[in-house]
Amino acid sequence: MTKTYKLYIGGAFPRSESGRVHPVHDSHGEFLANAARASRKDVRDAVAAARKAFGGWSSATAYNRGQVLFRVAEVMEGRRAQFVAEVAAAEGVSTGTAESTVNATIDRMVWYAGWTDKLAAVLGAANPVAGPYFSFSVPEPTGVVGILAPQQSSLLGLVSVVAPVLAAGNTCVVVSSTERPLPAITLAEVLATSDLPGGVANLLTGDAAELAPWLASHADVNALDPSGVPDSLRAEIERSSAGTVKRVLDVRPGEQDWTREPDIRRLREFTEIKTVWHPVGM
């Protein structure tokens, strides 16, 4: 029986509002399944779900967020064989290469999970000031982040852009790879069966070039990661984002090498630094 996968919005799996689907093929052109093709209305629904979930997720303790992301990695490990099969089919690589990719992906989730309770110490500071004041700076989440996932790296690249956003306390709306969405769909099922609250991560499948402008122009999206945006649309996306004073991550054109060791750049980019002054000795 032909499978037709749905979207992941607000912790549920709805059909696309438009009713559209598109066929998914493996690297050899063989039909695998149908995936929902998200619309502008689906983007709006996903942003609303992310905004609703932001208060609870951002106010959770850093330790708690880390434990939730560790749990996501554990559930991914339990579905390792499925991820290997889907990565091999989507990316046209051998089973051994797919296994290495899935192992690296799980390690990447664990790596970012370990940073949740360390960000304040690394990015925050007690500021020396002249006068009877105490001044300190602390990192806070940016808000709702729109993510255009990498087009070629269907799992490792996806987790490499989603995990730091969640680890920093943000919520997100993710548009998966257009041609390789099945690993992302399985990741959505992992998120739904782990401890991640509904709405914290919302995943849309469909045409990234179609959905990117709606994310960029949405006034309730605070930041945008354009990693999966076609190079020909980058300038347009940046102009649309400027209209709502949206932070846009500076990424190089083309597909990045997602196998490189991660760093805290993406964690830093999706946090804001709040500085507090308080009188002392008065």
Side-chain angles (χ1 to χ4, degrees):
M1 180 179 294
T2 300
K3 285 188 176 181
T4 299
Y5 291 102
K6 300 175 183 178
L7 309 174
Y8 180 58
I9 300 175
F13 290 91
R15 294 180 174 86
S16 171
E17 170 273 339
S18 66
R20 300 178 301 171
V21 298
H22 70 279
V24 179
H25 301 89
D26 66 14
S27 58
H28 302 292
E30 295 294 325
F31 176 81
L32 295 174
N34 291 311
R37 185 168 180 174
S39 67
R40 180 184 184 183
K41 175 64 164 57
D42 297 317
V43 170
R44 294 203 303 266
D45 290 345
V47 172
R51 177 56 63 190
K52 182 178 180 180
F54 176 71
W57 182 246
S58 62
S59 63
T61 65
Y63 175 80
N64 178 257
R65 287 200 300 269
Q67 291 301 300
V68 170
L69 295 182
F70 280 129
R71 177 59 182 160
V72 171
E74 288 178 347
V75 180
M76 289 182 70
E77 180 68 39
R79 300 186 67 166
R80 186 173 176 276
Q82 182 179 0
F83 277 120
V84 169
E86 290 178 345
V87 169
E91 301 181 11
V93 297
S94 67
T95 300
T97 300
E99 288 177 347
S100 297
T101 298
V102 173
N103 290 340
T105 302
I106 296 170
D107 289 345
R108 189 70 44 93
M109 181 66 76
V110 170
W111 192 86
Y112 279 113
W115 269 100
T116 56
D117 57 358
K118 300 172 182 64
L119 277 180
V122 173
L123 300 183
N127 308 311
V129 294
Y133 302 98
F134 179 63
S135 173
F136 56 93
S137 298
V138 293
E140 292 188 340
T142 295
V144 175
V145 179
I147 302 174
L148 283 306
Q151 293 298 304
Q152 303 301 314
S153 183
S154 59
L155 184 63
L156 179 57
L158 172 69
V159 169
S160 295
V161 296
V162 172
V165 169
L166 300 182
N170 303 284
T171 57
C172 62
V173 176
V174 187
V175 179
S176 73
S177 168
T178 302
E179 301 297 331
R180 304 174 175 182
L182 295 193
I185 293 169
T186 301
L187 178 63
E189 294 174 353
V190 166
L191 299 178
T193 53
S194 66
D195 297 326
L196 193 73
V200 171
N202 305 273
L203 193 138
L204 307 177
T205 54
D207 186 352
E210 174 189 351
L211 301 178
W214 303 126
L215 267 179
S217 61
H218 199 298
D220 209 20
V221 175
N222 303 109
L224 188 71
D225 181 345
S227 295
V229 174
D231 294 342
S232 59
L233 289 179
R234 287 287 175 88
E236 176 188 341
I237 294 303
E238 291 182 2
R239 284 193 297 269
S240 296
S241 298
T244 52
V245 198
K246 192 181 277 78
R247 175 180 294 187
V248 179
L249 184 67
D250 183 19
V251 295
R252 295 178 180 178
E255 189 83 6
Q256 299 182 47
D257 179 9
W258 299 105
T259 63
R260 295 180 60 183
E261 289 295 318
D263 55 38
I264 66 169
R265 172 177 174 257
R266 288 176 179 272
L267 290 165
R268 182 185 293 113
E269 291 290 342
F270 294 117
T271 57
E272 308 290 338
I273 301 299
K274 179 177 74 175
T275 298
V276 179
W277 293 67
H278 193 278
V280 294
M282 297 178 65

